[in-house]
Amino acid sequence: MPRYERTYTTQANFILHGGDYNPDQWLDRPDILQADLELMKLSHINTLTVGVFAWSALEPEEGVYRFEWLDKVFDDIYSIGGRVILATPSGARPAWLSKKYPEVLRVNAERVRQLHGGRHNHCFTSSVYREKTQHINRLLAERYGDHPALLMWHVSNEYGGECHCNLCQEAFREWLKKKYNHDLDALNAAWWTSFWSHTYTDWAQIESPSPIGEHTIHGLNLDWKRFVTDQTISFFENEIVPLRELTPHIPITTNFMADTHDLIPFQGLDYSKFAKHLDVISWDAYPAWHNDWESTADLAMKVGFINDLYRSLKQQPFLLMECTPSLVNWHKVNKAKRPGMHFLSSMQMIAHGSDSILYFQWRKSRGSFEKFHGAVVDHDNRTDNRVFQEVTKVGKMLKKMSGIVGTSRPAEVAILYDWENNWALNDVQGFAAETKRYPQTLVQHYRAFWEHDIPVDVITKEHDFSRYRLLIAPMLYLVSEELIARLKEFVANGGTLVMTYISGIVDEHDLAYLTGWHQDLREMFGMEPIETDTLYPNDRNSVHYRGRSYELKDYATVIKVQTATIEGVYEEDFYANTPAVTSNQYGKGQAYYIGGRLEDQFHRDFYQVLMEKLNLRPILFVKHGKGVSVQARQAPECDYVFIMNFTEEKQTVVLEEKVKNLFTDKEIGGEIILDKYEVLVVEKKREIHSNNKSIK
Ligand code: GAL
């Protein structure tokens, strides 16, 4: 149900505009540091993230600290009205630290200890590294905790990866002992180790998965990934002890990532667990705009999906911690954002719940790895170039949008994403190696709602389902009894649930359910999947649904119906004319099962029926063609609606109501032409009842 409250993720009542600032690379150039301040004012920058990789500048030798430069940076930023997001420096260590304490260096899965270099590559278990990071964090908190410019803590940078050193092996065994109550038999049973004579008779025999060792026990692989998440969080928790103690009023975040090519959620850590330890979710978005494998609109839809996931993790606005104002240096081809795209993509982030537009980075490095990565300020220091001008435009517009800060995006539709399920699915020997594509499948279901401008939350399994009318849980291969019970309760109480092929197959240990499909699922869906057919990439089948034929590829589930209504049937193969899509009334709700992987048009038509049935509506009805997206944030008193053209052509849109253009303050309505990549942000006032309560 709609909720209009504001949830401020920072104490700021303005949208943050700025980004990673690395003055530590320019300490011998006071002229440049001075120029930075002028340029920041010009481009309406109000927030700088400082110190992300500054450990060597802060502690050049063990126990020798240099904070004077950072003191000045804090004061300088404050003097121009700016705020600081202060990073803890654990993302990269000084060379002296690795040399003196080699245990901080990561060991890879082949059991090779890495040399010093790069970044993001420390052991999460090492007590030396934990001590060192906590100590320097304490000094930072003591020194800057009361500085009026301090806005937020940015802990480390893009946590990820794993370490297989002996310390981690020991920690893993301890973690397992705790999980299995010191009962090795319970572990052997959960991991099904009787297979291939893999039974463990001593905890000491257990090793993390390795390509040169054990990697065939699915339960081990899954528990290892769970351990890696927990150990990373435990490292993080150790980092923030002094921050919580000395600066309890300052919110804490760490920047999350996405896996780039398909822009799917980062796979390495279970962010649904990590989110609970953060005050604010922030993430680094680097979509490959203008790539040669998908349309701009398709990519925009994926950006929408992942934002809706990261926002839903805490059900509050998030921060865009990094993006490029122009190009990156690590895509296969580093194409520049075309004119207008930076503004459009920035507005899209705000539309989906971000309260910031922050860049990597403020000023281009002069040398090394990132010297050609896009930045607000280029090597030539000029302000008359396209990038600086577009950033300035974003900054100017964001100032007009401060009313959006802290506002929500209530949704009645939720799609369920589960990191553990994704790990288990990717690990499973079976189905097809290349086509499981769980996150991509979720995006396929998301498409219909994106195209109809209907807000969606992408939630994880611990969320309360009861606030949604429609819950979509595709390919939920791994599902515990507890989760099945909650899904059942959701439907019994009137919810509509959609599930698909390859769902409800194993429990939380990745052990197959033994009684066929779980009894509760059978009751809820009024049917039972009998077998799953996996197709070769060029194989095709089709499904007949409501008078039309839809192409099917990759997966088809043969279904035996009990009480369900048959909504669609397969058209080919040995299961031709058998049920492919079913629906079943259960309690006060309805449960739908889609047996095969069907083309986009099927999802459009299938969900159109549910949208009508459940009366799911956009916040502002805007008539438009393909590639235009309308997204909204809702304040107690009004809706902020973003009308975005993600195509290379002009688009005509029709607004059925009069609204205020936030950029021009003019009233607009009726037919409007949007240029290529143009975006409108409008304010739609909500009627206020005399008792002062907001209604939709
Ligand atoms: C991020 C990282 C930044 C910078 C950026 C370049 O993943 O956090 O430090 O390297 O990529 O795109």
Side-chain angles (χ1 to χ4, degrees):
M1 291 310 105
R3 299 152 285 133
Y4 302 124
E5 76 274 11
R6 285 175 194 267
T7 314
Y8 290 97
T9 52
T10 66
Q11 313 103 322
N13 56 1
F14 51 87
I15 298 184
L16 313 186
H17 185 227
D20 277 29
Y21 180 39
N22 298 306
D24 40 310
Q25 293 179 16
W26 302 96
L27 292 180
D28 59 347
R29 292 296 303 266
D31 55 325
I32 289 195
L33 297 181
Q34 189 55 40
D36 281 338
L37 299 175
E38 289 312 310
L39 296 173
M40 285 168 188
K41 281 195 268 178
L42 271 180
S43 50
H44 306 283
I45 295 296
N46 57 34
T47 305
L48 283 312
T49 307
V50 182
V52 181
F53 299 114
W55 200 335
S56 289
L58 292 170
E59 192 181 0
E61 288 171 49
E62 188 169 19
V64 176
Y65 298 100
R66 298 270 178 273
F67 289 114
E68 303 72 20
W69 66 269
L70 188 53
D71 297 347
K72 180 161 166 36
V73 169
F74 257 88
D75 293 344
D76 284 349
I77 291 175
Y78 195 57
S79 75
I80 59 163
R83 307 296 298 271
V84 173
I85 297 179
L86 183 57
T88 70
S90 66
R93 343 166 260 293
W96 59 257
L97 208 157
S98 307
K99 193 76 185 163
K100 182 158 179 202
Y101 307 102
E103 72 165 54
V104 305
L105 296 165
R106 225 171 242 189
V107 171
N108 69 14
E110 286 85 6
R111 311 306 194 246
V112 180
R113 193 174 289 278
Q114 307 297 285
L115 303 179
H116 178 79
R119 60 175 178 174
H120 299 164
N121 53 14
H122 53 271
C123 168
F124 286 116
T125 307
S126 159
S127 52
V128 171
Y129 204 54
R130 286 180 176 224
E131 234 170 72
K132 290 285 175 195
T133 48
Q134 200 184 85
H135 184 63
I136 192 148
N137 293 358
R138 178 171 293 282
L139 298 182
L140 289 171
E142 281 169 357
R143 198 164 182 110
Y144 302 107
D146 290 328
H147 198 290
L150 181 63
L151 185 66
M152 179 176 274
W153 287 106
H154 174 300
V155 177
S156 201
N157 193 64
E158 296 189 335
Y159 284 115
E162 33 186 78
C163 174
H164 297 256
C165 74
N166 288 337
L167 299 170
C168 288
Q169 301 295 345
E170 261 320 303
F172 181 42
R173 289 178 201 123
E174 289 309 312
W175 183 94
L176 290 169
K177 283 182 194 161
K178 201 164 158 216
K179 172 164 183 177
Y180 293 99
N181 291 323
H182 290 261
D183 181 351
L184 201 50
D185 292 341
L187 174 141
N188 277 310
W191 290 2
W192 204 253
T193 54
S194 47
F195 174 76
W196 284 355
S197 196
H198 283 189
T199 307
Y200 294 104
T201 53
D202 192 321
W203 294 95
Q205 296 158 358
I206 301 175
E207 284 268 341
S208 60
S210 168
I212 58 164
E214 185 59 83
H215 58 272
T216 57
I217 301 177
H218 287 165
L220 162 66
N221 298 346
L222 194 55
D223 273 345
W224 169 251
K225 287 193 186 303
R226 288 170 172 146
F227 164 77
V228 169
T229 292
D230 285 357
Q231 197 67 351
T232 306
I233 293 172
S234 138
F235 182 88
F236 162 87
E237 278 293 339
N238 181 73
E239 275 216 46
I240 67 170
V241 168
L243 315 186
R244 290 279 188 227
E245 184 189 314
L246 300 169
T247 61
H249 54 295
I250 302 290
I252 291 180
T253 190
T254 186
N255 45 346
F256 285 173
M257 297 178 266
D259 276 359
T260 296
H261 183 85
D262 251 354
L263 209 76
I264 55 175
F266 177 64
Q267 314 275 291
L269 297 172
D270 184 343
Y271 283 163
S272 68
K273 279 192 182 169
F274 211 150
K276 298 197 180 83
H277 298 256
L278 304 175
D279 300 322
V280 179
I281 299 293
S282 65
W283 81 285
D284 302 342
Y286 292 102
W289 293 112
H290 322 289
N291 64 50
D292 66 354
W293 65 86
E294 65 196 333
S295 69
T296 303
D298 277 354
L299 178 54
M301 176 187 63
K302 292 178 186 170
V303 175
F305 173 84
I306 192 160
N307 274 318
D308 288 349
L309 170 64
Y310 289 171
R311 184 196 63 254
S312 302
L313 284 174
K314 285 191 93 67
Q315 305 271 4
Q316 67 182 30
F318 61 92
L319 297 180
L320 170 65
M321 188 55 83
E322 292 180 20
C323 72
T324 177
S326 52
L327 41 75
V328 297
N329 66 337
W330 49 268
H331 285 161
K332 261 197 184 143
V333 174
N334 297 297
K335 191 160 180 163
K337 279 176 164 173
R338 297 356 240 171
M341 180 48 84
H342 179 55
F343 189 70
L344 172 63
S345 58
S346 298
M347 290 303 122
Q348 188 193 18
M349 300 302 296
I350 307 284
H352 283 269
S354 177
D355 275 356
S356 70
I357 300 297
L358 299 170
Y359 307 111
F360 181 85
Q361 58 177 332
W362 163 252
R363 174 181 287 282
K364 231 175 223 185
S365 307
R366 182 160 188 208
S368 288
F369 206 69
E370 294 189 316
K371 62 177 171 295
F372 296 124
H373 192 289
V376 179
V377 181
D378 214 322
H379 294 136
D380 61 9
N381 230 23
R382 294 178 70 118
T383 57
D384 58 358
N385 56 53
R386 193 168 67 82
V387 174
F388 193 88
Q389 290 302 321
E390 286 211 32
V391 166
T392 304
K393 179 178 167 193
V394 169
K396 218 188 257 172
M397 291 308 179
L398 290 180
K399 281 189 171 162
K400 294 187 166 233
M401 296 165 68
S402 52
I404 289 177
V405 177
T407 59
S408 59
R409 260 179 71 90
E412 295 181 308
V413 181
I415 298 181
L416 187 68
Y417 179 74
D418 185 36
W419 266 270
E420 295 192 345
N421 179 56
N422 190 38
W423 291 336
L425 257 174
N426 285 338
D427 203 26
V428 79
Q429 282 297 119
F431 309 113
E434 303 284 320
T435 60
K436 289 183 200 114
R437 298 174 61 80
Y438 167 64
Q440 291 87 344
T441 303
L442 266 54
V443 175
Q444 231 201 335
H445 288 255
Y446 177 81
R447 176 186 287 280
F449 301 93
W450 190 80
E451 289 178 349
H452 279 90
D453 309 322
I454 292 176
V456 173
D457 280 353
V458 182
I459 59 169
T460 50
K461 57 181 182 279
E462 57 291 323
H463 280 106
D464 173 14
F465 303 149
S466 69
R467 67 202 289 173
Y468 302 102
R469 308 198 46 218
L470 173 60
L471 177 61
I472 303 167
M475 294 187 83
L476 198 58
Y477 161 77
L478 178 144
V479 54
S480 64
E481 300 233 11
E482 187 256 344
L483 180 53
I484 292 175
R486 286 180 47 223
L487 292 172
K488 193 174 170 194
E489 192 190 340
F490 168 74
V491 179
N493 290 335
T496 299
L497 174 67
V498 178
M499 260 197 170
T500 69
Y501 54 94
I502 316 190
S503 289
I505 296 180
V506 297
D507 67 10
E508 67 273 27
H509 300 297
D510 208 349
L511 290 174
Y513 283 108
L514 284 183
T515 49
W517 225 32
H518 195 282
Q519 176 65 23
D520 285 349
L521 291 173
R522 268 186 275 163
E523 275 174 29
M524 207 186 336
F525 287 89
M527 46 69 68
E528 191 177 4
I530 300 298
E531 55 178 308
T532 304
D533 190 19
T534 303
L535 280 62
Y536 277 95
N538 290 326
D539 287 344
R540 291 288 181 275
N541 197 334
S542 55
V543 163
H544 191 264
Y545 168 80
R546 292 186 174 233
R548 259 191 86 160
S549 182
Y550 298 91
E551 189 176 82
L552 176 151
K553 49 193 247 192
D554 301 337
Y555 299 105
T557 309
V558 182
I559 292 169
K560 188 169 150 219
V561 159
Q562 282 113 24
T563 55
T565 305
I566 300 169
E567 303 255 352
V569 293
Y570 295 109
E571 294 188 309
E572 307 280 340
D573 223 315
F574 68 92
Y575 40 91
N577 296 319
T578 69
V581 181
T582 62
S583 67
N584 191 52
Q585 172 84 36
Y586 179 76
K588 293 190 209 137
Q590 198 83 20
Y592 291 84
Y593 187 88
I594 303 173
R597 182 172 283 169
L598 293 160
E599 60 173 299
D600 288 342
Q601 192 54 43
F602 170 80
H603 293 107
R604 290 192 182 103
D605 294 345
F606 174 81
Y607 284 119
Q608 174 84 46
V609 175
L610 292 189
M611 285 174 207
E612 275 161 28
K613 200 166 157 196
L614 299 172
N615 198 23
L616 303 170
R617 303 243 165 261
I619 307 296
L620 176 70
F621 186 75
V622 179
K623 217 165 129 197
H624 60 77
K626 264 185 103 174
V628 173
S629 170
V630 181
Q631 303 287 334
R633 289 182 65 171
Q634 302 193 274
E637 62 290 345
C638 66
D639 299 325
Y640 294 98
V641 186
F642 297 68
I643 307 166
M644 300 170 278
N645 179 6
F646 287 105
T647 75
E648 282 64 33
E649 291 84 40
K650 284 185 193 303
Q651 296 284 340
T652 305
V653 300
V654 185
L655 276 66
E656 289 186 352
E657 292 174 51
K658 289 263 181 246
V659 287
K660 187 176 97 180
N661 181 333
L662 215 59
F663 299 149
T664 61
D665 285 333
K666 293 212 172 90
E667 205 176 66
I668 55 169
E671 197 173 293
I672 294 170
I673 309 240
L674 289 183
D675 261 333
K676 162 182 177 178
Y677 302 153
E678 191 180 344
V679 51
L680 282 179
V681 183
V682 303
E683 189 185 308
K684 177 186 151 189
K685 283 266 173 261
R686 193 172 303 117
E687 273 173 53
I688 309 284
H689 269 205
S690 52
N691 66 3
N692 238 357
K693 275 216 164 140
S694 312
I695 54 148
K696 199 176 164 187

